[in-house]
Amino acid sequence: MSAIIAIKALSKTYASGHPALKQVDLEIQPGEIFALLGPNGAGKTTLISIVCGIVNPGGGQVLVAGHDIVRDYRASRGQIGLVPQELVNDVFETVWATVKFSRGLFGKAPNAAYLEQLLKELSLWDKRDAKIIELSGGMKRRVMIAKALAHEPNILFLDEPTAGVDVELRRDMWAMVRRLRERGVTIILTTHYIEEAEEMADRIGVIRKGELILVEDKDVLMRRLGRKELILHLKEPLTSLPASLADFKLELIESGHGLRYGFDSQHDDTGIPRLLAAISAAGLELRDLKSKESSLEEIFVNLLKEGV
Amino acid sequence: MNLYAVRAIYLFELARTWRTLLQSIATPVISTSLYFVVFGAAIGASMNQVHGVSYGAFIVPGLIMLALLTESISNASFGIYMPRYAGTIYEVLSAPISPLEIVIGYVGAAATKSVILGLVILLTAGLFVDFEIAHPVWMLIYLVLTAFTFSLFGFIIGIWADGWEKLQVVPALIVTPLTFLGGSFYSISMLPEVWQTITLFNPVVYLISAFRWTFYGVADVNVWLSFGMTVVFLLACLGVVSWMFKSGYRLKN
């Protein structure tokens, strides 16, 4: 399948001299949900802004549905809807007027029925005649999504879509993203909530200091870089590890009341039966044991700390 | 051409005018009416005719031009500065629109407002003084040309400005003084010879002179030179706007 977005050697250095992107290569497949993760200032918003036409690229090439974003900007931009990070709206306009404006801006003929359906889907229909300034923060965020979807785009960029929204709205938005994906819309989101990426994304990209350091299928990433741990709680605390357990690379935790054992769950030999036998042979008694899998957040933090 | 986009911007901008009718139309009409009352009816009654017309009638084209220039610049600069300031410009920049279409939408709306305002002031002037329009078609052409040219100039200011103060600086400190000194209230032939020469460096002189010609058939400077100067200024503004979009100056970087 050919990529719906193909980014080749994209770079951008701002007038201040700050290199925001360095030779980024990335392909987004049609219909996928792609999460772009990275700390503040990593280049996520710059990357999105270039693809959407808000920032001029420094070097490289971006194709959207096969159309070059510079030479064939009409065709490429028409495919894209963008929900930016900041809550920016024409606050003195009504919800209906601003959504209608967005549709026209993208060259689409008026379609009141579609806009009505869109506003209903986002629970905004009752507020259609309200001025945006009168709406709550969550409602304003919904208006921005409605604006981005007003021209029926095939690709939706969500830049920190749930920053500062309550749990209920966040869940609503996740459900909406899934519905859009079912309709074939490709979704690229940046987020600080790793839980969000873990919940929704098919693939994950990690960007750090303008470099895309990793792009991976989410499940593969969690299997590959994720670590499983076995936590063993002891009846009696230890001051040091017995010499017979030295080969297992155990970590003494909880003031000697626990042992942490890391293992590869994909490997046939996890070493757990031998470990349990060795613990028993050493005369240690167990009170409890549990296993724990690394979250995407832990993987992400490690990636940023260590690089790839 | 993305006509839906041009229409969307144009109507969106005009909608703002109707929402702020008092500020957009009523305020300039009232302030211009005060000029007619003070300079036309009160002071003008005791003044001689200028170029064969009463002083009250003589100042009509200059006052319309004064309102047209300031409002064109103000409307257009505010129109593009506001989305930059609020951050909503992202939507225009990410839409499939060419720079020309953006300019037609924003500048067209600003010029439309100014032309409407100019015509309202013209009608208002009729309530205070008697005047005639010798070349009505040329008057309309020049009204539209000037409104569009100075709206384009305002659009440039709206992109250039990085704060509210800068937005006001050019209209307040440059355009208004040049308009007052450009023959709005007098014929430059009434000035001492040295000042007549100096005044010719003021571009607004050409605008007012040509506009007055469309009313009374008399001008301080050659009419075609005035038209030519206006067109040259229009082309220069188009060049600057084109460069701004091409380079992304204060829009995309």
Side-chain angles (χ1 to χ4, degrees):
Chain A
M1 202 187 309
S2 65
I4 194 157
I5 298 178
I7 299 172
K8 288 175 200 155
L10 186 65
S11 60
K12 173 71 186 177
T13 301
Y14 285 106
S16 62
H18 170 64
L21 292 176
K22 301 169 192 167
Q23 301 288 313
V24 170
D25 293 302
L26 175 64
E27 289 199 344
I28 306 287
Q29 301 307 319
E32 75 169 326
I33 300 179
F34 185 86
L36 190 60
L37 308 180
N40 286 335
K44 304 185 296 290
T45 299
T46 299
L47 180 62
I48 287 180
S49 299
I50 290 175
V51 177
C52 294
I54 297 169
V55 169
N56 284 336
Q61 189 190 39
V62 180
L63 300 177
V64 175
H67 304 288
D68 186 283
I69 60 158
V70 177
R71 282 199 310 274
D72 199 4
Y73 67 92
R74 282 190 201 272
S76 66
R77 289 185 201 168
Q79 307 270 334
I80 298 173
L82 167 67
V83 182
Q85 197 173 330
E86 305 289 332
L87 267 181
V88 287
N89 273 307
D90 291 294
V91 292
F92 299 113
E93 291 296 337
T94 64
V95 171
W96 182 257
T98 195
V99 174
K100 207 172 108 187
F101 170 73
S102 298
R103 186 174 172 86
L105 208 52
F106 279 76
K108 288 278 180 142
N111 185 340
Y114 171 75
L115 293 184
E116 180 180 336
Q117 182 205 332
L118 180 64
L119 292 186
K120 281 180 175 165
E121 206 172 330
L122 288 161
S123 309
L124 283 169
W125 182 243
D126 293 342
K127 300 280 182 189
R128 63 190 179 281
D129 296 322
K131 284 186 177 172
I132 294 171
I133 198 167
E134 297 162 4
L135 303 180
S136 67
M139 283 289 181
K140 283 178 185 154
R141 182 72 68 181
R142 285 173 200 256
V143 171
M144 295 191 66
I145 296 170
K147 282 165 75 66
L149 295 173
H151 64 283
E152 303 162 67
N154 296 321
I155 302 164
L156 182 65
F157 279 94
L158 297 163
D159 195 1
E160 304 280 352
T162 53
V165 304
D166 62 28
V167 177
E168 191 190 347
L169 178 56
R170 192 181 305 171
R171 296 277 166 193
D172 279 359
M173 285 177 65
W174 291 359
M176 185 209 68
V177 167
R178 286 197 190 91
R179 282 198 302 275
L180 286 171
R181 198 257 287 272
E182 280 164 21
R183 288 183 216 158
V185 177
T186 305
I187 291 152
I188 299 103
L189 65 97
T190 72
T191 180
H192 274 114
Y193 300 110
I194 310 297
E195 178 201 359
E196 194 161 76
E198 192 169 345
E199 173 85 21
M200 291 200 296
D202 299 315
R203 285 198 306 150
I204 305 277
V206 178
I207 191 165
R208 187 183 61 170
K209 292 179 183 168
E211 288 177 282
L212 200 58
I213 58 174
L214 175 140
V215 176
E216 188 77 86
D217 182 276
K218 182 186 70 187
D219 296 332
V220 172
L221 175 71
M222 293 189 70
R223 277 201 306 274
R224 188 164 73 83
L225 296 179
R227 201 166 167 264
K228 258 196 147 179
E229 290 176 344
L230 185 68
I231 308 290
L232 305 119
H233 290 109
L234 303 170
K235 270 192 174 171
E236 299 297 330
L238 291 175
T239 49
S240 61
L241 281 171
S244 59
L245 298 179
D247 291 346
F248 291 97
K249 294 178 183 166
L250 292 165
E251 191 184 340
L252 207 53
I253 57 171
E254 298 170 10
S255 309
H257 282 91
L259 298 169
R260 181 186 284 138
Y261 172 64
F263 64 96
D264 182 355
S265 61
Q266 305 298 310
H267 203 278
D268 287 341
D269 179 16
T270 60
I272 293 173
R274 280 185 291 112
L275 171 66
L276 293 176
I279 286 174
S280 178
L284 303 177
E285 282 189 73
L286 295 178
R287 187 163 51 83
D288 181 27
L289 56 87
K290 65 178 178 188
S291 71
K292 179 176 164 283
E293 200 166 3
S294 315
S295 67
L296 183 59
E297 183 156 348
E298 286 164 326
I299 296 171
F300 174 65
V301 169
N302 284 335
L303 275 173
L304 293 183
K305 224 186 283 173
E306 299 157 12
V308 174
Chain B
M1 193 164 194
N2 187 347
L3 288 176
Y4 284 119
V6 174
R7 184 172 173 269
I9 295 173
Y10 184 81
L11 293 180
F12 200 75
E13 283 299 298
L14 280 187
R16 192 155 49 79
T17 308
W18 307 136
R19 248 196 346 258
T20 56
L21 208 59
L22 203 65
Q23 180 207 332
S24 305
I25 304 285
T27 306
V29 167
I30 290 169
S31 58
T32 311
S33 299
L34 290 174
Y35 280 117
F36 285 124
V37 171
V38 175
F39 291 101
I43 300 175
S46 59
M47 289 182 74
N48 295 329
Q49 287 194 332
V50 185
H51 290 317
V53 291
S54 72
Y55 184 70
F58 178 81
I59 64 171
V60 170
L63 283 177
I64 293 173
M65 202 46 88
L66 174 68
L68 198 71
L69 297 189
T70 50
E71 289 302 312
S72 296
I73 292 172
S74 159
N75 286 333
S77 60
F78 190 79
I80 189 67
Y81 181 74
M82 196 56 197
R84 283 183 58 223
Y85 175 75
T88 52
I89 192 77
Y90 84 87
E91 203 177 16
V92 175
L93 296 177
S94 64
I97 325 173
S98 69
L100 180 67
E101 288 155 1
I102 295 175
V103 168
I104 292 173
Y106 279 106
V107 174
T112 303
K113 287 182 233 176
S114 303
V115 168
I116 292 171
L117 179 71
L119 293 175
V120 170
I121 292 174
L122 186 69
L123 293 174
T124 312
L127 302 175
F128 297 96
V129 287
D130 292 325
F131 61 88
E132 58 191 46
I133 302 171
H135 309 287
V137 175
W138 278 110
M139 189 277 288
L140 275 175
I141 291 171
Y142 207 64
L143 194 73
V144 172
L145 179 68
T146 309
F148 196 83
T149 303
F150 279 80
S151 294
L152 203 55
F153 183 54
F155 189 78
I156 292 169
I157 293 171
I159 293 178
W160 164 76
D162 53 8
W164 293 101
E165 195 191 26
K166 276 192 180 173
L167 204 61
Q168 302 296 333
V169 143
V170 175
L173 294 184
I174 300 174
V175 176
T176 305
L178 285 181
T179 313
F180 272 87
L181 298 172
S184 297
F185 298 100
Y186 54 86
S187 163
I188 61 169
S189 60
M190 294 159 78
L191 296 172
E193 206 163 317
V194 178
W195 282 104
Q196 282 187 36
T197 309
I198 292 172
T199 299
L200 290 177
F201 289 98
N202 177 356
V204 180
V205 165
Y206 300 87
L207 296 172
I208 293 175
S209 170
F211 198 52
R212 188 168 284 134
W213 171 82
T214 66
F215 278 71
Y216 309 121
V218 286
D220 285 327
V221 288
N222 183 290
V223 175
W224 294 111
L225 178 64
S226 296
F227 275 91
M229 292 276 282
T230 312
V231 171
V232 166
F233 188 55
L234 171 72
L235 294 175
C237 288
L238 280 173
V240 173
V241 169
S242 165
W243 169 80
M244 281 174 151
F245 276 103
K246 217 170 264 179
S247 66
Y249 175 79
R250 292 200 172 162
L251 284 172
K252 288 197 169 193
N253 287 311

mmCIF file of all heavy atoms in Angstrom, chain B residues 86-111:
data_model
loop_
_atom_site.group_PDB
_atom_site.id
_atom_site.type_symbol
_atom_site.label_atom_id
_atom_site.label_comp_id
_atom_site.label_asym_id
_atom_site.label_seq_id
_atom_site.Cartn_x
_atom_site.Cartn_y
_atom_site.Cartn_z
ATOM 1 N N ALA B 86 -4.966 36.415 17.189
ATOM 2 C CA ALA B 86 -5.760 35.390 17.882
ATOM 3 C C ALA B 86 -5.238 33.985 17.605
ATOM 4 O O ALA B 86 -5.576 33.049 18.313
ATOM 5 C CB ALA B 86 -7.220 35.503 17.447
ATOM 6 N N GLY B 87 -4.443 33.838 16.556
ATOM 7 C CA GLY B 87 -3.904 32.516 16.218
ATOM 8 C C GLY B 87 -4.746 31.775 15.199
ATOM 9 O O GLY B 87 -4.372 30.694 14.747
ATOM 10 N N THR B 88 -5.904 32.340 14.818
ATOM 11 C CA THR B 88 -6.772 31.631 13.878
ATOM 12 C C THR B 88 -6.245 31.668 12.441
ATOM 13 O O THR B 88 -6.800 31.021 11.569
ATOM 14 C CB THR B 88 -8.197 32.220 13.896
ATOM 15 O OG1 THR B 88 -8.098 33.626 13.707
ATOM 16 C CG2 THR B 88 -8.890 31.958 15.213
ATOM 17 N N ILE B 89 -5.165 32.380 12.222
ATOM 18 C CA ILE B 89 -4.568 32.444 10.877
ATOM 19 C C ILE B 89 -4.128 31.057 10.401
ATOM 20 O O ILE B 89 -4.012 30.809 9.201
ATOM 21 C CB ILE B 89 -3.368 33.440 10.865
ATOM 22 C CG1 ILE B 89 -2.904 33.760 9.437
ATOM 23 C CG2 ILE B 89 -2.191 32.929 11.679
ATOM 24 C CD1 ILE B 89 -3.768 34.714 8.720
ATOM 25 N N TYR B 90 -3.903 30.134 11.363
ATOM 26 C CA TYR B 90 -3.456 28.781 10.985
ATOM 27 C C TYR B 90 -4.403 28.163 9.963
ATOM 28 O O TYR B 90 -3.989 27.445 9.063
ATOM 29 C CB TYR B 90 -3.371 27.882 12.235
ATOM 30 C CG TYR B 90 -4.683 27.257 12.644
ATOM 31 C CD1 TYR B 90 -5.110 26.051 12.095
ATOM 32 C CD2 TYR B 90 -5.529 27.891 13.548
ATOM 33 C CE1 TYR B 90 -6.342 25.496 12.460
ATOM 34 C CE2 TYR B 90 -6.745 27.343 13.907
ATOM 35 C CZ TYR B 90 -7.141 26.157 13.365
ATOM 36 O OH TYR B 90 -8.359 25.619 13.695
ATOM 37 N N GLU B 91 -5.693 28.480 10.119
ATOM 38 C CA GLU B 91 -6.687 27.849 9.265
ATOM 39 C C GLU B 91 -6.580 28.370 7.822
ATOM 40 O O GLU B 91 -6.695 27.600 6.870
ATOM 41 C CB GLU B 91 -8.076 28.142 9.828
ATOM 42 C CG GLU B 91 -9.079 27.119 9.368
ATOM 43 C CD GLU B 91 -10.442 27.327 9.959
ATOM 44 O OE1 GLU B 91 -10.723 28.412 10.494
ATOM 45 O OE2 GLU B 91 -11.241 26.386 9.856
ATOM 46 N N VAL B 92 -6.340 29.664 7.698
ATOM 47 C CA VAL B 92 -6.205 30.259 6.360
ATOM 48 C C VAL B 92 -4.938 29.727 5.695
ATOM 49 O O VAL B 92 -4.928 29.365 4.520
ATOM 50 C CB VAL B 92 -6.172 31.803 6.461
ATOM 51 C CG1 VAL B 92 -5.919 32.434 5.101
ATOM 52 C CG2 VAL B 92 -7.469 32.321 7.055
ATOM 53 N N LEU B 93 -3.853 29.650 6.481
ATOM 54 C CA LEU B 93 -2.575 29.203 5.916
ATOM 55 C C LEU B 93 -2.603 27.725 5.543
ATOM 56 O O LEU B 93 -1.872 27.297 4.658
ATOM 57 C CB LEU B 93 -1.437 29.462 6.914
ATOM 58 C CG LEU B 93 -1.169 30.927 7.250
ATOM 59 C CD1 LEU B 93 -0.076 31.041 8.305
ATOM 60 C CD2 LEU B 93 -0.779 31.714 6.014
ATOM 61 N N SER B 94 -3.426 26.931 6.239
ATOM 62 C CA SER B 94 -3.442 25.498 5.950
ATOM 63 C C SER B 94 -4.517 25.132 4.934
ATOM 64 O O SER B 94 -4.662 23.964 4.577
ATOM 65 C CB SER B 94 -3.660 24.699 7.244
ATOM 66 O OG SER B 94 -4.929 24.996 7.791
ATOM 67 N N ALA B 95 -5.267 26.129 4.470
ATOM 68 C CA ALA B 95 -6.335 25.854 3.494
ATOM 69 C C ALA B 95 -5.776 25.882 2.067
ATOM 70 O O ALA B 95 -4.750 26.507 1.813
ATOM 71 C CB ALA B 95 -7.436 26.892 3.650
ATOM 72 N N PRO B 96 -6.462 25.198 1.154
ATOM 73 C CA PRO B 96 -5.979 25.183 -0.248
ATOM 74 C C PRO B 96 -6.307 26.485 -0.979
ATOM 75 O O PRO B 96 -7.135 26.509 -1.880
ATOM 76 C CB PRO B 96 -6.722 23.983 -0.845
ATOM 77 C CG PRO B 96 -7.941 23.813 -0.004
ATOM 78 C CD PRO B 96 -7.636 24.351 1.353
ATOM 79 N N ILE B 97 -5.690 27.548 -0.548
ATOM 80 C CA ILE B 97 -5.949 28.879 -1.129
ATOM 81 C C ILE B 97 -4.628 29.486 -1.578
ATOM 82 O O ILE B 97 -3.624 29.370 -0.873
ATOM 83 C CB ILE B 97 -6.526 29.877 -0.097
ATOM 84 C CG1 ILE B 97 -7.442 29.177 0.894
ATOM 85 C CG2 ILE B 97 -7.249 30.992 -0.775
ATOM 86 C CD1 ILE B 97 -7.869 30.107 2.004
ATOM 87 N N SER B 98 -4.673 30.193 -2.700
ATOM 88 C CA SER B 98 -3.458 30.881 -3.163
ATOM 89 C C SER B 98 -3.375 32.232 -2.450
ATOM 90 O O SER B 98 -4.393 32.762 -1.993
ATOM 91 C CB SER B 98 -3.524 31.092 -4.670
ATOM 92 O OG SER B 98 -4.528 32.038 -4.961
ATOM 93 N N PRO B 99 -2.169 32.802 -2.389
ATOM 94 C CA PRO B 99 -2.041 34.146 -1.793
ATOM 95 C C PRO B 99 -2.973 35.158 -2.459
ATOM 96 O O PRO B 99 -3.557 36.002 -1.783
ATOM 97 C CB PRO B 99 -0.570 34.491 -2.049
ATOM 98 C CG PRO B 99 0.118 33.166 -2.087
ATOM 99 C CD PRO B 99 -0.865 32.226 -2.725
ATOM 100 N N LEU B 100 -3.130 35.051 -3.772
ATOM 101 C CA LEU B 100 -3.994 36.001 -4.482
ATOM 102 C C LEU B 100 -5.435 35.897 -3.971
ATOM 103 O O LEU B 100 -6.113 36.911 -3.759
ATOM 104 C CB LEU B 100 -3.948 35.729 -5.997
ATOM 105 C CG LEU B 100 -4.807 36.664 -6.846
ATOM 106 C CD1 LEU B 100 -4.274 38.091 -6.799
ATOM 107 C CD2 LEU B 100 -4.882 36.184 -8.293
ATOM 108 N N GLU B 101 -5.885 34.660 -3.753
ATOM 109 C CA GLU B 101 -7.255 34.463 -3.265
ATOM 110 C C GLU B 101 -7.418 35.016 -1.850
ATOM 111 O O GLU B 101 -8.462 35.600 -1.519
ATOM 112 C CB GLU B 101 -7.617 32.976 -3.314
ATOM 113 C CG GLU B 101 -7.824 32.480 -4.730
ATOM 114 C CD GLU B 101 -7.599 30.986 -4.889
ATOM 115 O OE1 GLU B 101 -7.286 30.298 -3.889
ATOM 116 O OE2 GLU B 101 -7.721 30.502 -6.022
ATOM 117 N N ILE B 102 -6.383 34.833 -1.034
ATOM 118 C CA ILE B 102 -6.432 35.387 0.333
ATOM 119 C C ILE B 102 -6.553 36.910 0.257
ATOM 120 O O ILE B 102 -7.371 37.529 0.941
ATOM 121 C CB ILE B 102 -5.171 34.995 1.137
ATOM 122 C CG1 ILE B 102 -5.128 33.476 1.348
ATOM 123 C CG2 ILE B 102 -5.128 35.711 2.486
ATOM 124 C CD1 ILE B 102 -3.860 32.969 2.017
ATOM 125 N N VAL B 103 -5.737 37.507 -0.619
ATOM 126 C CA VAL B 103 -5.737 38.967 -0.761
ATOM 127 C C VAL B 103 -7.092 39.453 -1.274
ATOM 128 O O VAL B 103 -7.657 40.422 -0.743
ATOM 129 C CB VAL B 103 -4.593 39.413 -1.704
ATOM 130 C CG1 VAL B 103 -4.748 40.877 -2.087
ATOM 131 C CG2 VAL B 103 -3.245 39.190 -1.028
ATOM 132 N N ILE B 104 -7.629 38.753 -2.270
ATOM 133 C CA ILE B 104 -8.935 39.185 -2.810
ATOM 134 C C ILE B 104 -9.990 39.146 -1.698
ATOM 135 O O ILE B 104 -10.797 40.065 -1.557
ATOM 136 C CB ILE B 104 -9.357 38.304 -4.010
ATOM 137 C CG1 ILE B 104 -8.417 38.550 -5.202
ATOM 138 C CG2 ILE B 104 -10.799 38.614 -4.434
ATOM 139 C CD1 ILE B 104 -8.644 37.614 -6.377
ATOM 140 N N GLY B 105 -9.958 38.083 -0.892
ATOM 141 C CA GLY B 105 -10.942 37.945 0.178
ATOM 142 C C GLY B 105 -10.823 39.057 1.206
ATOM 143 O O GLY B 105 -11.797 39.785 1.471
ATOM 144 N N TYR B 106 -9.630 39.211 1.773
ATOM 145 C CA TYR B 106 -9.443 40.196 2.856
ATOM 146 C C TYR B 106 -9.488 41.635 2.339
ATOM 147 O O TYR B 106 -10.188 42.481 2.887
ATOM 148 C CB TYR B 106 -8.113 39.950 3.574
ATOM 149 C CG TYR B 106 -8.190 38.851 4.593
ATOM 150 C CD1 TYR B 106 -7.624 37.608 4.340
ATOM 151 C CD2 TYR B 106 -8.829 39.043 5.816
ATOM 152 C CE1 TYR B 106 -7.691 36.576 5.270
ATOM 153 C CE2 TYR B 106 -8.905 38.024 6.750
ATOM 154 C CZ TYR B 106 -8.338 36.798 6.478
ATOM 155 O OH TYR B 106 -8.417 35.788 7.393
ATOM 156 N N VAL B 107 -8.699 41.883 1.281
ATOM 157 C CA VAL B 107 -8.604 43.260 0.777
ATOM 158 C C VAL B 107 -9.919 43.662 0.102
ATOM 159 O O VAL B 107 -10.370 44.801 0.232
ATOM 160 C CB VAL B 107 -7.391 43.389 -0.175
ATOM 161 C CG1 VAL B 107 -7.354 44.756 -0.823
ATOM 162 C CG2 VAL B 107 -6.104 43.135 0.595
ATOM 163 N N GLY B 108 -10.528 42.707 -0.595
ATOM 164 C CA GLY B 108 -11.813 42.985 -1.239
ATOM 165 C C GLY B 108 -12.854 43.400 -0.206
ATOM 166 O O GLY B 108 -13.603 44.360 -0.415
ATOM 167 N N ALA B 109 -12.889 42.682 0.917
ATOM 168 C CA ALA B 109 -13.870 43.013 1.965
ATOM 169 C C ALA B 109 -13.574 44.393 2.556
ATOM 170 O O ALA B 109 -14.490 45.203 2.745
ATOM 171 C CB ALA B 109 -13.847 41.959 3.059
ATOM 172 N N ALA B 110 -12.299 44.657 2.820
ATOM 173 C CA ALA B 110 -11.928 45.960 3.401
ATOM 174 C C ALA B 110 -12.262 47.090 2.434
ATOM 175 O O ALA B 110 -12.799 48.136 2.837
ATOM 176 C CB ALA B 110 -10.430 45.967 3.737
ATOM 177 N N ALA B 111 -11.964 46.875 1.149
ATOM 178 C CA ALA B 111 -12.237 47.916 0.150
ATOM 179 C C ALA B 111 -13.744 48.123 0.002
ATOM 180 O O ALA B 111 -14.203 49.264 -0.148
ATOM 181 C CB ALA B 111 -11.615 47.523 -1.188
#
